[in-house]
């Protein structure tokens, strides 16, 4: 009971506000699957069976209708619907009243292409008969079909129902197509015939075989029995459970998140004083919500059938709805909430809800986009299904790094103010002139949006920051082992022509890799892409010195999370999100080695922030670690702000927030504000391929801060030198001069290091020097289509 009470208290359902795009009409008997952040819904009925395919983007709160093609299936309801990577399989269902289907369709979601599939029949026995209300579950390369309802009458207007408990296995081909049906030989007693039940597959990470669990359903009366199938041994059993078993039900949903099977809604028998009526002639829709711990087989009730919801904070009673897990968030949409006999029609819900079942994971390290003398523009990788991010900084700057007792000369460094661009090279990949990007373009799941990302489209991404830890070392001889890159047609990548170009710069005294941020757009001649890199360190090889850059994580700190309550977020004009007094308490850090003071920069709706100030806590709450359990979140409007200073090192960390509270913090990143007078980073980098070399060119810094005396270009090369961080890069200077271009020869490229931390790429850096010294460096990752044993 204590576990149930604690679990119920942590629930925080959210009703999704009005969405944009063509919202589908309410319905029941539909099905849904998730592909990354997209919820894909098909079928169902309400005043006719729906035949459209609807897609909801959970990240943008937008519905859209993809332009499907191929063998488009007819509308159906109570069908089987599973997702295998980027393809979706549809089996059976009701296509009109009294007429059921046994057809199998495949949808390739990367192209929105439908195809009717004709599986081979079983070697022994008949293929599945037409049916509805069956379960269709995927594990590995096989789908498992169980039960459902068939019509014994050949006349669709004369429905003679027959409940089924047959069991089939459908083997899939890799990528597309199927092999055929088979009837597995099973041990133990089969579950009784039923329809409108649920089936899920679960496999413990540490031990055990994959198991399929069937719960509830309808066979003339509603059921609440639980059945288990060991998929490896094909053995059926009735597992013993603990806790309060949910009421008998049908037309409910069951979803696996982590080690829990969440069961919501459905038709349940009427109860009188907590007693189920002996005759199942009266039933109702329910909003009861439970989960089964699949490791302990214990039921935990979260929302009871009789729980009142006067404030409309919970999804209302419903059956025949759809539920789908997007990460650790559970979405519920539509369904019917009753039956009006006087009107002789169903009453369907129109609302969309979600529930965060766990706290979010830690985001990636904070990445530097641009630094000025008194501000940082930073970003981090998005965490799916979160409501905001808590960004903090540490103002206790570490001592300047030195080599041999002296500060490392800035002329030997590549500035951490640098931009990182990723340019994609590929032979014979000419870009058509008529390519357009629209919201109805096809889905490419490597992108973050629900549109096609063909090879001529530029996407956004970013890389992780590297902390400067310089030490002296001698220059090493680099063996010429890597063959020169494949040369092909001329390649031109004019990054300045990209829409919404966001140049990212880093500071002279630390090394950071960032990327150009741009919307999807056309470029000419050759494909150009931005690409993420997880390079954890870098070494700059110069004629006079060798400087090491290494990743710094907060290994000397331990963190813990305080208990939390609900989040209420409201966005301000500067994209900062403020929390209400019921906001979950933030994670706090305990320090082992030295006193570190973390300050809130703010809570942000998106995964980027412009940081020029941070909040000072009042003296009585001078440290976040002094906050006590259940204390209120500070009211930022009452706190003093502190401006950032030039030439100062700041450490950053970020945590994601969802309905369960504040998750763990990211690893720590460290950046330094600019020193006045240094030049900005070179921009508009171009790479043009010719027969025996490449031509690297760039534009002068937008802010030169005086006369530019020279530029330096560097190439990441292979090295036999062993470093503490195996992902460190060694950069060799390949050009120094006043011109804004240089030639990189095939001999130099033969020594290039191909970075596989993200996609295969050759890495360049370019920086400018004025009277004060070298300023920001622009880092360019030139993507390679190279098939080697080291590629990922």
């Amino acid at each position: 009971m204590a576990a149930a009470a604690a679990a119920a208290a942590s629930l925080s359902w959210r009703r999704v506000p009005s969405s944009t795009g063509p919202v589908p009409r309410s319905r029941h008997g539909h099905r849904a699957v998730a592909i990354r952040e997209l919820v894909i819904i098909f079928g169902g009925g309400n005043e006719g069976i729906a035949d459209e395919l609807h897609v909801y983007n959970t990240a943008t709160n937008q519905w859209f209708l993809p332009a499907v093609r191929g063998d488009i299936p007819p509308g159906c309801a109570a069908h089987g619907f599973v997702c295998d990577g980027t393809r979706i399989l549809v089996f059976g269902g009701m296509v009109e009243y009294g007429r059921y289907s046994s057809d199998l369709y495949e949808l390739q979601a990367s192209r929105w292409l439908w195809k009717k599939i004709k599986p081979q029949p079983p070697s022994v026995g008949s293929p599945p008969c037409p049916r509805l209300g069956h379960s269709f579950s995927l594990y590995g390369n096989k789908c498992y079909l169980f039960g459902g309802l068939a019509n014994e009458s050949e006349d669709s207007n004369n429905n003679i129902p027959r409940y089924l408990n047959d069991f089939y296995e459908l083997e899939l081909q890799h990528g597309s197509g199927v092999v055929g049906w088979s009837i597995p030989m099973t041990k133990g007693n089969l579950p009784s015939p039923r329809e409108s039940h649920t089936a899920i597959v679960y496999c413990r990470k540490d031990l055990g075989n994959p198991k399929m669990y069937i719960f509830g359903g309808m066979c003339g009366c509603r059921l609440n029995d639980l059945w288990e199938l060991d998929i490896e041994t094909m053995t059926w059993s009735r597992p013993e459970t603990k806790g309060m078993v949910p009421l008998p039900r049908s037309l409910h949903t069951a979803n696996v998140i982590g080690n829990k099977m969440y069961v919501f809604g459905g038709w349940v028998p009427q109860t009188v004083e907590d007693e189920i009526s002996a005759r199942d002639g009266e039933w109702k829709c329910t909003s009861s919500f439970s989960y089964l711990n699949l490791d302990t087989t214990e039921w935990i009730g979260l929302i009871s059938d009789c729980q009142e919801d006067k404030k409309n904070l919970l999804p209302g009673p419903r059956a025949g709805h759809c539920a789908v897990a997007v990460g650790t968030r559970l979405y519920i949409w539509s369904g019917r909430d009753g039956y009006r006999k006087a009107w002789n029609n169903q009453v369907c819900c129109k609302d969309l809800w979600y529930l965060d079942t766990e706290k979010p994971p830690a985001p990636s390290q904070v990445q530097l986009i641009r630094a000025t003398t008194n501000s940082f523009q930073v970003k981090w990788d998005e965490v799916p299904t979160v409501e905001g991010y808590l960004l903090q900084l540490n103002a206790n700057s570490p001592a300047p790094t030195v080599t041999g007792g002296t500060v490392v000369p800035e002329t030997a460094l590549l500035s951490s103010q640098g931009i990182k661009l990723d340019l994609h090279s590929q032979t014979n990949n000419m870009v058509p002139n008529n390519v357009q990007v629209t919201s109805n373009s096809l889905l490419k799941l490597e992108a973050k949006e629900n549109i096609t990302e063909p090879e001529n489209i530029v996407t956004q991404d970013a890389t992780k920051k590297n902390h400067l830890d310089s030490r002296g070392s001698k220059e090493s001889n680099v063996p010429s082992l890597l063959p020169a890159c494949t040369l092909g047609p001329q390649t031109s990548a004019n990054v300045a022509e990209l829409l919404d170009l966001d140049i990212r710069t880093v500071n002279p005294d630390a090394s950071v890799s960032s990327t150009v941020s741009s919307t999807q757009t056309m470029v000419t001649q050759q494909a150009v892409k931005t690409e993420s890199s997880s390079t954890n360190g870098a070494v700059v090889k110069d004629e006079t010195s060798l400087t090491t850059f290494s990743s710094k994580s907060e290994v000397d700190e331990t963190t813990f999370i305080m208990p939390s309550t609900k989040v209420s977020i409201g966005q301000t004009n500067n994209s900062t999100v403020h929390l209400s007094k019921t906001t979950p308490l933030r994670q706090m850090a305990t320090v082992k080695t030295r006193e570190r003071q973390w300050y809130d920069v703010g809570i942000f709706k998106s995964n980027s922030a412009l940081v020029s100030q941070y909040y000072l806590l009042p003296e009585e709450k001078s440290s976040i670690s002094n906050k006590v359990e259940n204390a209120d979140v500070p009211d930022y409007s009452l706190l003093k702000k502190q401006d950032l200073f030039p030439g100062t090192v700041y450490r950053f960390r970020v945590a994601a927030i969802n309905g369960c509270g504040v998750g763990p913090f990211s690893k720590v990143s460290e950046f330094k504000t600019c020193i006045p007078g240094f030049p900005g980073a070179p921009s508009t980098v171009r790479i043009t391929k010719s027969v025996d070399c490449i031509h690297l060119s760039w534009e002068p810094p937008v802010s030169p801060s005086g006369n530019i005396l020279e530029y330096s270009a560097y190439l990441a090369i292979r090295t036999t030198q062993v470093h503490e961080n195996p992902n460190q890069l060694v950069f060799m200077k390949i050009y120094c001069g006043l011109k804004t271009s240089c030639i990189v020869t095939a001999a130099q490229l033969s020594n290039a290091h191909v970075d596989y931390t993200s996609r295969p790429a050759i890495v360049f850096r370019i920086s400018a020097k004025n009277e004060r010294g070298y300023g920001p460096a622009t880092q360019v990752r030139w993507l390679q289509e190279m098939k080697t044993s080291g590629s990922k």
Side-chain angles (χ1 to χ4, degrees), residues 3 7 43 54 69 89 152 178 217 252 457 476 569 630 668 684 725:
H54 290 269
R69 55 196 176 94
L89 294 173
E152 290 285 82
V178 300
H252 54 287
I457 298 300
S476 60
I569 293 180
N630 295 326
V668 173
T684 317
N725 189 336

Side-chain angles (χ1 to χ4, degrees), residues 164-234:
L164 305 171
N165 70 337
D166 49 357
F167 181 60
Y168 288 87
E169 183 179 87
L170 177 65
E171 184 177 354
L172 310 182
Q173 293 178 345
H174 179 71
S176 178
V178 300
V179 177
W181 294 104
S182 63
I183 303 176
M185 297 294 294
T186 61
K187 305 171 187 176
N189 295 324
L190 278 168
S192 59
R194 66 192 65 204
E195 59 101 2
S196 297
H197 55 281
T198 55
I200 61 94
V201 177
Y202 172 71
C203 184
R204 291 185 61 166
K205 294 181 180 180
D206 52 349
L207 54 89
N209 296 335
K211 307 288 180 63
M212 183 169 75
Y213 292 90
I214 288 176
F215 176 71
M218 173 74 172
C219 64
C221 64
R222 283 163 179 83
L223 306 168
N224 66 344
D225 50 348
L226 180 71
W227 291 82
E228 177 186 282
L229 173 69
D230 187 312
I231 293 177
E232 294 293 333
T233 64
M234 282 293 159

Side-chain angles (χ1 to χ4, degrees), residues 31-35 38-42 53-56 63-64 66 81 83 86 88 107 109 112 322 324 443 445:
R31 300 289 187 261
V33 295
I35 303 180
L38 302 181
V39 174
I40 300 172
I41 295 173
F42 181 69
L53 188 79
H54 290 269
V55 180
Y56 174 69
W63 291 92
F64 70 95
F81 201 56
C83 181
T86 62
I88 297 171
L107 173 67
W112 299 125
C322 71
V324 62
L443 169 71
L445 293 170

Side-chain angles (χ1 to χ4, degrees), residues 293-308:
N293 185 313
L294 296 168
D295 294 336
T296 63
T297 63
E298 180 181 7
W299 285 104
I300 301 294
L302 299 173
I303 301 174
S304 68
D305 184 64
C306 58
Q307 184 169 332
E308 294 186 2

Side-chain angles (χ1 to χ4, degrees), residues 380 387-391 569-578 601-610:
W380 50 91
E387 299 178 357
Y389 301 91
L390 171 62
L391 181 64
I569 293 180
Q571 189 170 356
T572 62
N573 293 332
N574 62 354
S575 298
T576 303
V577 179
H578 297 286
V601 176
I603 298 174
F604 297 85
K605 182 70 174 178
S606 65
N607 63 321
S608 63
L610 178 60

